[in-house]
Amino acid sequence: MDNLSDTLKKLKITAVDKTEDSLEGCLDCLLQALAQNNTETSEKIQASGILQLFASLLTPQSSCKAKVANIIAEVAKNEFMRIPCVDAGLISPLVQLLNSKDQEVLLQTGRALGNICYDSHEGRSAVDQAGGAQIVIDHLRSLCSITDPANEKLLTVFCGMLMNYSNENDSLQAQLINMGVIPTLVKLLGIHCQNAALTEMCLVAFGNLAELESSKEQFASTNIAEELVKLFKKQIEHDKREMIFEVLAPLAENDAIKLQLVEAGLVECLLEIVQQKVDSDKEDDITELKTGSDLMVLLLLGDESMQKLFEGGKGSVFQRVLSWIPSNNHQLQLAGALAIANFARNDANCIHMVDNGIVEKLMDLLDRHVEDGNVTVQHAALSALRNLAIPVINKAKMLSAGVTEAVLKFLKSEMPPVQFKLLGTLRMLIDAQAEAAEQLGKNVKLVERLVEWCEAKDHAGVMGESNRLLSALIRHSKSKDVIKTIVQSGGIKHLVTMATSEHVIMQNEALVALALIAALELECLHKEVQDLAFLDVVSKLRSHENKSVAQQASLTEQRLTVES
């Protein structure tokens, strides 16, 4: 280290009068010292004030510019050296060197800028002001098709530099996207898929950029889906697959890309993973099973991709997903139930599934999770049943299959997501089904639980659904017994409150229920009416801006006044 001090002194003199030979020698000494102990050497370089002199050695005319850039790249591996490099005015001359034709100069300059940008706001800002990103993107474009190892190394360094430049910085990522970096990177991936380092760099870049909404449309206009699936099929190592998954998940949020991924054959890959990993208890395999089955469910969220995989209920994918529901693996049960809920997004699919025994499979699954069950599986299975119950033709079939009884077993659940789906499923099932509505409306345990949930102020969804189900029990059963049960359980005040809800649909439902109560059963209600300023609420709603609410309020008021 002593001779390092001498070298630095000597360098100060030679840097000024630029004596070529001794300058080269000094720079070699510095590189050697950095290779032996980077941190200590960097501290000495900073203390010596030599950084300021480096700017003059980075001119296009300088014969040692590549070595100086290499030294800067080495010292900038230390966090404490990044701001000093910016302050020493090194960014602008480095960015100028990006216009060089010399491969070694480009390589070392790319490394230097990439390291200075790493986790450094000041470094990024300086490169941004000097216009470095555009030059690098232009290089990537022009060098894209050359596959010799030296060029691939340079491309890898340039991709890395852009990553360090824009990582976790939305505005710089948006800038790169506007400069058209995405199609260029996708092309790189396609051409250089044999090169592990460059492929990995592209994947990291995609992972960062895919988080931005504005990137999705650009990705959708490339053949990224095809390239990623091709790459995925080749990977054996868990870590590499995981990297590709990290890009696929945010991209698959876009409906156009969902369809492209399905067409590129991603689903078959995912099904294969599930099959390979389902019985393994290795942590990596469990992770991959979860990631793969989650991604499968995500692909089904797109209408076109879902319909393509349903294939009129004959699709092999649909059949495979069905087989997950009776499996013993919670993750697969969950994915299977969620997939069914996603397939159940139009009447034709729902009718086909109910006719083909899906309801029984879901009820069996729920049965396995009644006692200390898995909440996510309960929630998913109830979601699927709720969606299946939407078409009118399915309601009676599901009621006679015993769905209500299966669902009511979860009445004691303390989990709001489960409560919410349970309420929604029952409300769908009794729609225009008078007998079922009457049966449920006379179920004191259910009605008492509904009244309790009508006060669940922390969970607006549960509160809203409970109110809607109370009103639905009255509206669809039109039964005195149901009204008695609801009055005795203290449910009327909630219907009055519901009539003032900000949701027009809920106001209407409440008013219809109140009118029916008035028509069928006011004797047991006189006290309730007086206590609750019942009429005030209803008459206020007569002047509601929504015509159907105002109309319904008038009708209800007439009924109430006549009766009382």
Side-chain angles (χ1 to χ4, degrees):
M1 279 296 167
D2 290 342
N3 83 1
L4 175 62
S5 309
D6 297 342
T7 303
L8 289 168
K9 279 182 197 143
K10 196 170 166 191
L11 191 55
K12 272 192 172 166
I13 301 160
T14 47
V16 178
D17 57 20
K18 297 196 172 55
T19 11
E20 299 279 322
D21 295 345
S22 48
L23 190 53
E24 291 279 342
C26 290
L27 294 172
D28 286 337
C29 273
L30 272 190
L31 281 167
Q32 239 172 333
L34 283 162
Q36 279 163 358
N37 188 333
N38 192 316
T39 311
E40 201 177 320
T41 307
S42 296
E43 283 167 349
K44 293 222 164 141
I45 289 175
Q46 190 190 358
S48 73
I50 197 94
L51 277 180
Q52 278 69 12
L53 297 176
F54 280 170
S56 66
L57 301 176
L58 289 170
T59 59
Q61 299 74 37
S62 162
S63 62
C64 56
K65 49 188 179 282
K67 266 187 191 150
V68 175
N70 188 356
I71 291 170
I72 296 170
E74 289 301 317
V75 301
K77 286 177 177 174
N78 303 288
E79 192 181 348
F80 66 86
M81 288 300 284
R82 290 171 199 148
I83 292 178
C85 284
V86 176
D87 293 344
L90 300 180
I91 301 295
S92 184
L94 282 168
V95 169
Q96 289 313 304
L97 285 183
L98 287 172
N99 295 308
S100 167
K101 297 277 177 280
D102 181 313
Q103 202 161 27
E104 180 63 14
V105 171
L106 288 174
L107 184 76
Q108 299 304 347
T109 305
R111 287 183 62 230
L113 289 169
N115 290 352
I116 291 170
C117 285
Y118 184 77
D119 242 358
S120 161
H121 170 70
E122 293 75 9
R124 291 168 180 183
S125 206
V127 173
D128 179 21
Q129 279 158 9
Q134 185 66 65
I135 307 174
V136 172
I137 291 178
D138 292 341
H139 276 306
L140 287 177
R141 264 191 211 118
S142 61
L143 300 171
C144 185
S145 313
I146 308 166
T147 54
D148 66 88
N151 187 59
E152 292 195 318
K153 191 175 177 189
L154 180 57
L155 290 171
T156 307
V157 164
F158 278 159
C159 283
M161 187 219 130
L162 290 179
M163 279 316 86
N164 288 353
Y165 171 69
S166 65
N167 189 27
E168 292 185 352
N169 183 314
D170 285 1
S171 64
L172 292 180
Q173 287 178 352
Q175 178 196 71
L176 294 183
I177 290 168
N178 292 336
M179 289 174 177
V181 75
I182 288 174
T184 307
L185 289 174
V186 174
K187 196 172 163 195
L188 269 182
L189 182 69
I191 295 171
H192 302 274
C193 56
Q194 302 305 327
N195 184 306
L198 185 47
T199 300
E200 203 159 303
M201 212 41 103
C202 286
L203 289 173
V204 174
F206 293 146
N208 286 350
L209 296 169
E211 298 294 337
L212 269 199
E213 253 335 287
S214 58
S215 74
K216 307 266 167 71
E217 275 171 38
Q218 282 223 15
F219 274 119
S221 64
T222 68
N223 62 338
I224 181 94
E226 202 183 315
E227 293 297 353
L228 287 175
V229 173
K230 202 161 67 183
L231 192 64
F232 191 82
K233 285 177 177 164
K234 279 199 288 223
Q235 300 307 327
I236 305 152
E237 292 166 52
H238 169 76
D239 294 348
K240 293 276 163 55
R241 282 181 170 187
E242 207 53 35
M243 275 188 91
I244 301 173
F245 271 141
E246 279 168 22
V247 180
L248 288 169
L251 285 180
E253 287 167 11
N254 175 284
D255 282 0
I257 300 176
K258 282 187 183 77
L259 189 59
Q260 292 168 4
L261 288 168
V262 168
E263 285 170 345
L266 178 61
V267 172
E268 289 69 17
C269 298
L270 297 176
L271 289 172
E272 201 174 313
I273 286 179
V274 168
Q275 202 166 2
Q276 287 166 2
K277 314 288 180 187
V278 65
D279 298 319
S280 167
D281 46 15
K282 290 211 323 241
E283 200 161 317
D284 280 357
D285 290 346
I286 293 168
T287 308
E288 214 164 302
L289 178 77
K290 176 171 171 31
T291 316
S293 51
D294 283 349
L295 188 51
M296 181 77 201
V297 172
L298 182 57
L299 291 175
L300 293 173
L301 277 173
D303 287 338
E304 283 185 84
S305 47
M306 177 273 286
Q307 216 45 51
K308 191 174 173 61
L309 294 170
F310 189 66
E311 292 179 62
K314 306 278 183 286
S316 61
V317 173
F318 172 64
Q319 298 300 333
R320 286 280 282 283
V321 167
L322 266 190
S323 72
W324 294 355
I325 293 177
S327 97
N328 289 320
N329 181 306
H330 280 188
Q331 174 56 34
L332 279 195
Q333 295 171 357
L334 170 65
L338 287 173
I340 297 303
N342 284 343
F343 280 126
R345 286 212 313 279
N346 62 50
D347 282 9
N349 291 6
C350 289
I351 292 164
H352 178 90
M353 288 193 277
V354 168
D355 288 348
N356 283 276
I358 302 268
V359 169
E360 288 69 18
K361 283 191 169 68
L362 289 167
M363 287 182 356
D364 289 346
L365 177 60
L366 275 175
D367 247 4
R368 294 161 71 181
H369 287 277
V370 175
E371 299 305 325
D372 310 322
N374 180 306
V375 174
T376 48
V377 175
Q378 294 172 357
H379 179 258
L382 288 167
S383 298
L385 287 171
R386 180 196 174 281
N387 288 2
L388 290 169
I390 292 172
V392 177
I393 193 170
N394 282 355
K395 296 182 197 297
K397 292 176 185 168
M398 289 174 72
L399 288 166
S400 61
V403 173
T404 343
E405 293 73 15
V407 169
L408 285 172
K409 289 177 187 167
F410 294 90
L411 207 52
K412 54 182 185 294
S413 169
E414 291 306 328
M415 293 296 175
V418 174
Q419 297 167 351
F420 181 72
K421 287 295 174 188
L422 171 150
L423 292 163
T425 307
L426 291 176
R427 191 165 60 78
M428 283 304 156
L429 281 170
I430 62 165
D431 192 3
Q433 307 294 312
E435 201 180 316
E438 176 156 16
Q439 207 179 346
L440 279 179
K442 291 193 296 198
N443 178 331
V444 178
K445 262 197 183 132
L446 169 65
V447 173
E448 283 176 350
R449 194 72 161 131
L450 290 183
V451 171
E452 182 189 328
W453 284 341
C454 281
E455 285 160 16
K457 301 241 179 330
D458 299 343
H459 301 286
V462 172
M463 199 162 98
E465 277 292 341
S466 306
N467 276 304
R468 293 189 74 184
L469 184 53
L470 266 187
S471 142
L473 291 170
I474 295 172
R475 288 183 297 115
H476 298 302
S477 70
K478 301 185 175 57
S479 143
K480 284 191 175 188
D481 292 338
V482 169
I483 291 171
K484 268 198 187 116
T485 311
I486 290 175
V487 169
Q488 279 156 7
S489 306
I492 300 303
K493 61 172 188 257
H494 295 300
L495 291 173
V496 176
T497 313
M498 181 181 167
T500 62
S501 153
E502 66 234 31
H503 302 292
V504 168
I505 295 181
M506 286 176 71
Q507 289 184 331
N508 248 338
E509 289 174 356
L511 287 167
V512 174
L514 291 172
L516 279 164
I517 293 170
L520 294 169
E521 193 54 69
L522 251 184
E523 304 81 72
C524 70
L525 251 189
H526 277 303
K527 191 171 168 305
E528 296 265 352
V529 175
Q530 269 97 45
D531 289 357
L532 290 165
F534 210 65
L535 286 166
D536 294 353
V537 171
V538 177
S539 61
K540 275 197 193 102
L541 286 172
R542 272 192 331 200
S543 53
H544 196 282
E545 66 217 34
N546 183 291
K547 279 216 182 75
S548 63
V549 172
Q551 209 174 353
Q552 192 53 59
S554 298
L555 286 170
T556 307
E557 191 181 37
Q558 283 164 20
R559 286 267 171 82
L560 290 171
T561 339
V562 169
E563 297 289 331
S564 51

